[in-house]
């Protein structure tokens, strides 16, 4: 799979911009603030129907404009697919697949498989558990787009249940009891949370099991410790308690249902939803005896190696461990190389050489490893940009790295 073209209108800093791409390595080279990250953000957006930089789509619309448009054309197994995304602040996002409107934007998620490396990836290791949960869920959607629906259904159950618990806690604070209708409604959302939460929890557990051998291999290569393949391991920790290895969805439902019952009094007192996979954690550990959490014990270099290894393992997993280019995800490195020492740059470049398309942004050519050879696109320059007055900047032919 590779992206053959991207076009945006009123997206971030661009009134209008378009760029044609091809398989292999493409390097977007330009000074900071020239719009490189905006372009790759637009390329990756349709993969997860969201930005890797912000959670609010309003920030993606150029200031003073009512809406923004992203158009991405990709090729997979000689078949072309086009995705159009229409962003309007204060209104729902709309999307078209091959020019046909889709009833739900989540139906587009997963059609385009992208693995994005970004400076914020360090938060996968040192940040809040929410970043690691999103990492797992995004990877699930890339593997099988149906998980976008499961996640949306679960998020809805959590929102509705949380709102009801907050309302009931306020009633109790005023000395009012819980009516039969409220009790019934809470029971309905309990069932929804347990049903969708169990499916999501089991899927995450299975995903971590698939990811672990690839994570150990990737960390070994990136950190220079390939002789210790078990040096880096991830562990999924459900907040609901221990879940037996190989548990079925039904067994996970039983664990969640028990936890819901056990937490009822505390939830009603606090007015918050305390049960479910939205409170789970992914813990990554280094070492064998003892294995210590990366979040609290790793050095800066180890943290970066783990963060990169998580992304590399994701890309390998999506490719199915094979060198089938039709299954190869699009790999994007957004200003990551400048964060790495020369040894890690070289290792990462060697790993990524097996993917059909790699897109890299860089401000300084000196940050690029020697073995990275490909088309160089200067930004601004070869990117066709329409300015505010309506004149088009003339494209420049990409040349060799200086």
């Amino acid at each position: 799979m590779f992206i053959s073209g991207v076009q945006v209108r009123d997206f971030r800093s661009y009134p209008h911009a378009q760029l044609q791409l091809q398989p292999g390595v493409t390097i977007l080279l330009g000074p900071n603030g020239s719009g490189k990250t905006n372009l790759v953000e637009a390329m990756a957006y349709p993969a997860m129907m969201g930005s890797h930089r912000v959670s609010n789509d309003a920030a993606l619309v150029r200031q003073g404009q009512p809406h923004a448009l992203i158009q991405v054309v990709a090729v997979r197994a000689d078949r072309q697919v086009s995705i159009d995304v229409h962003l309007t602040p204060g209104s729902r996002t709309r999307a078209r697949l091959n020019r046909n409107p889709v009833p739900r934007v989540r139906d587009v998620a997963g059609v385009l498989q992208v693995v994005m490396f970004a400076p914020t990836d360090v938060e996968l290791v040192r940040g809040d558990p929410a970043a690691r949960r999103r990492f797992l869920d995004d990877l699930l959607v890339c593997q099988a787009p149906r998980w976008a629906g499961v996640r949306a259904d679960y998020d809805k159950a959590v929102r509705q249940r949380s709102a009801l618990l907050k309302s009931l806690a306020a009633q109790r604070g005023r000395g009012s009891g819980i009516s039969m209708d409220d009790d019934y409604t809470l029971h309905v959302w309990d069932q929804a949370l347990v049903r969708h939460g169990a499916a999501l929890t089991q899927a995450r557990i299975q995903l971590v099991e698939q990811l672990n051998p690839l994570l150990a291999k990737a960390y070994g290569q990136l950190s220079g410790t390939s002789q210790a393949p078990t040096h880096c391991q991830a562990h999924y920790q459900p907040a609901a308690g221990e879940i037996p290895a190989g548990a079925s969805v039904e067994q996970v439902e039983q664990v969640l249902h028990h936890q819901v019952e056990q937490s009822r009094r505390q939830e009603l007192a606090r007015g918050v939803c305390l049960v479910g996979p939205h409170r789970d954690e992914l813990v990554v550990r280094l070492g064998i005896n003892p294995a210590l959490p990366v979040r609290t014990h790793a050095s800066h270099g180890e943290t970066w190696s783990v963060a990169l290894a998580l992304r590399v393992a994701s890309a390998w997993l999506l490719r199915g461990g094979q060198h089938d280019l039709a299954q190869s995800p699009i790999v994007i490195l957004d200003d990551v190389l400048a964060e790495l020492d020369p040894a890690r740059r070289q290792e990462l470049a060697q790993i990524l050489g097996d993917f059909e398309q790699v897109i890299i942004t860089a401000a300084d050519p000196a940050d690029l490893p020697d073995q990275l050879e490909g088309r160089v696109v200067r930004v601004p320059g070869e990117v066709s940009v329409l300015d505010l007055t309506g004149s088009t900047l003339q494209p420049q032919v990409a040349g060799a790295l200086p």
Side-chain angles (χ1 to χ4, degrees):
M1 172 180 285
F2 67 93
I3 295 174
S4 61
V6 59
Q7 183 172 192
V8 297
R9 291 183 184 275
D10 293 321
F11 180 84
R12 289 286 193 181
S13 61
Y14 289 107
H16 171 234
Q18 58 185 359
L19 174 64
Q20 300 301 311
L21 296 159
Q22 58 195 27
V25 177
T26 298
I27 300 166
L28 303 182
L29 188 64
N32 293 330
S34 59
K36 305 182 301 296
T37 293
N38 295 346
L39 285 173
V40 295
E41 182 181 26
M43 295 178 204
Y45 187 100
M48 295 309 309
M49 293 307 295
S51 166
H52 72 291
R53 300 163 72 189
V54 294
S55 58
N56 186 356
D57 285 349
L60 307 180
V61 180
R62 191 165 64 91
Q63 188 173 10
Q65 299 304 309
H67 51 257
L69 177 67
I70 302 171
Q71 297 176 311
V72 174
V73 178
V75 177
R76 182 171 187 172
D78 297 327
R79 296 182 61 184
Q80 182 172 287
V81 57
S82 63
I83 302 173
D84 300 350
V85 181
H86 196 276
L87 305 170
T88 303
S91 181
R92 71 182 184 91
T93 299
R94 293 183 287 120
R96 294 191 303 172
L97 183 61
N98 293 328
R99 299 189 179 277
N100 298 313
V102 295
R104 300 164 301 187
V105 293
R106 73 189 192 204
D107 295 336
V108 174
V111 173
L112 187 68
Q113 292 191 333
V114 173
V115 175
M116 170 76 79
F117 295 72
T120 53
D121 282 349
V122 73
E123 293 301 308
L124 286 177
V125 180
R126 293 204 181 275
D128 293 335
R132 291 179 286 280
R133 290 192 294 265
R134 179 179 176 180
F135 163 75
L136 292 177
D137 292 346
D138 287 351
L139 186 52
L140 281 175
V141 173
C142 279
Q143 276 191 309
R146 72 180 184 87
W147 287 109
V150 175
R151 185 169 65 174
D153 290 340
Y154 177 75
D155 289 343
K156 178 181 179 180
V158 172
R159 287 195 306 271
Q160 296 290 345
R161 189 171 184 271
S162 297
L164 181 57
L165 286 169
K166 183 177 180 180
S167 174
L168 295 177
Q171 289 181 27
R172 286 163 58 92
R174 295 191 298 266
S176 302
I178 299 177
S179 68
M180 292 182 62
D181 287 343
D182 286 338
D183 187 64
Y184 173 77
T185 304
L186 183 57
H187 176 69
V188 169
W189 289 118
D190 285 349
Q191 290 181 315
L193 179 137
V194 168
R195 182 172 67 255
H196 301 306
L200 189 59
T201 298
Q202 191 209 35
R204 287 177 179 175
I205 292 172
Q206 292 178 342
L207 178 62
V208 173
E209 291 174 354
Q210 296 172 345
L211 204 61
N212 258 329
L214 301 174
L215 175 62
K217 178 182 176 182
Y219 180 82
Q221 289 185 229
L222 290 164
S223 64
T225 59
S226 56
Q227 300 304 312
T230 59
H231 193 63
C232 181
Q233 291 284 298
H235 304 268
Y236 190 77
Q237 293 184 346
E242 191 67 29
I243 294 176
S248 65
V249 173
E250 291 76 16
Q251 289 174 310
V252 180
E253 284 186 6
Q254 291 176 3
V255 173
L256 282 177
H257 180 72
H258 176 74
Q259 189 67 22
V260 166
E261 291 184 333
Q262 292 293 311
S263 303
R264 171 74 75 227
R265 180 173 297 181
Q266 189 178 6
E267 287 186 323
L268 288 172
R270 295 175 57 182
V272 294
C273 183
L274 300 175
V275 179
H278 65 289
R279 302 181 69 89
D280 292 355
E281 169 68 293
L282 178 69
V283 178
V284 184
R285 294 191 174 98
L286 288 179
I288 299 175
N289 189 23
L292 300 174
V294 176
R295 186 181 183 187
T296 55
H297 289 76
S299 67
H300 182 72
E302 288 171 332
T303 298
W304 261 111
S305 290
V306 171
L308 292 173
L310 285 168
R311 294 300 187 192
V312 170
S314 301
W316 281 343
L317 184 64
L318 291 175
R319 197 176 59 183
Q322 306 298 318
H323 292 280
D324 181 0
L325 295 183
Q327 301 298 321
S328 177
I330 297 146
V331 177
I332 299 177
L333 276 69
D334 181 28
D335 283 334
V336 168
L337 296 176
E339 303 284 343
L340 309 178
D341 58 55
R344 286 183 175 84
R345 291 177 197 163
Q346 298 289 347
E347 290 293 346
L348 184 58
Q350 184 173 352
I351 289 171
L352 298 180
D354 290 335
F355 290 88
E356 184 173 19
Q357 186 177 50
V358 179
I359 301 169
I360 300 169
T361 70
D364 187 349
D367 293 334
L368 301 171
D370 296 336
Q371 66 264 47
L372 270 181
E373 297 181 0
R375 177 190 177 202
V376 178
V377 176
R378 299 188 181 279
V379 183
E382 191 176 349
V383 181
S384 179
V385 181
L386 189 69
D387 67 18
L388 290 173
T389 64
S391 62
T392 303
L393 302 177
Q394 293 300 314
Q396 299 177 1
V397 178
L401 287 174

